[in-house]
Amino acid sequence: MKKNLTILMSVLCLIKVSSQVIFGNNVGTALDKTSVLMEFPNTGNKGLILPYVTDKSAITTAGSIILDASVPTASKVKYYNGTAWVDLSVQSADVSSYLDIQPSSRENPTAKVIIGNSTSAADGVLVLESADKAMVLPIVPSYQSIVNPAPGTMALVDNGGIKTLAVYNGVQWSFWSY
């Protein structure tokens, strides 16, 4: 019996497990789940809070999205397109008081969570690694429904079929339509 259990466990460990992560509930927002790697509840008033980064010089992975707090009094939401940082904020914000409540210890630079694969060459705290799946942002009916947003909050606003990316830098919301 012990031998059979050992063989079964060995076989199960070799099977590639593929899954989808839905935070908050078991429904999510995507109607077709085949192209979704990570998504958020289909109801709610929350956004995704981006990491506050005080030194972005080591970030070289295209697609990285951060709250650039390298100058805390002039922070902006930015993404890295592979060659340069692109500003997603209309104006800068002072996030000094938010940085004051962050832990003083430095993070482990090699620590990361990978969803979609067992390994990834990409650097990041949360790495979504898939050639054919994407993350579905939290969807809210209005940016105003997000109560007390933190700097770096990001959500997709669905205003009756018109979808807009909303990012909050700590002072004001910026909107990107597609």
Side-chain angles (χ1 to χ4, degrees), residues 18-20 30-39 130-134 136:
S18 178
S19 66
Q20 173 192 13
L31 298 176
D32 180 2
K33 305 290 187 196
T34 59
S35 63
V36 177
L37 189 59
M38 185 171 88
E39 67 178 311
S130 177
D132 61 354
K133 294 184 178 12
V136 177

Side-chain angles (χ1 to χ4, degrees), residues 47-150:
L48 177 72
I49 300 177
L50 300 170
Y52 297 15
V53 176
T54 55
D55 180 4
K56 65 182 186 293
S57 63
I59 301 173
T60 58
T61 303
S64 296
I65 305 173
I66 62 169
L67 177 72
D68 180 4
S70 52
V71 179
T73 57
S75 297
K76 290 188 167 201
V77 174
K78 296 181 179 179
Y79 84 94
Y80 188 66
N81 67 8
T83 56
W85 286 97
V86 179
D87 179 10
L88 295 178
S89 301
V90 174
Q91 70 182 41
S92 60
D94 184 351
V95 297
S96 302
S97 62
Y98 289 91
L99 293 176
D100 290 343
I101 61 174
Q102 299 297 317
S104 58
S105 62
R106 303 302 284 172
E107 73 277 355
N108 179 345
T110 61
K112 63 181 166 184
V113 173
I114 304 168
I115 298 176
N117 207 336
S118 58
T119 62
S120 176
D123 289 326
V125 176
L126 175 62
V127 177
L128 305 179
E129 186 71 44
S130 177
D132 61 354
K133 294 184 178 12
M135 175 180 73
V136 177
L137 287 173
I139 299 175
V140 295
S142 167
Y143 72 95
Q144 295 165 326
S145 66
I146 300 174
V147 180
N148 298 323

Side-chain angles (χ1 to χ4, degrees), residues 25 28-29 40-46 139:
N25 67 17
T29 54
F40 297 87
N42 61 347
T43 59
N45 57 357
K46 294 177 173 61
I139 299 175

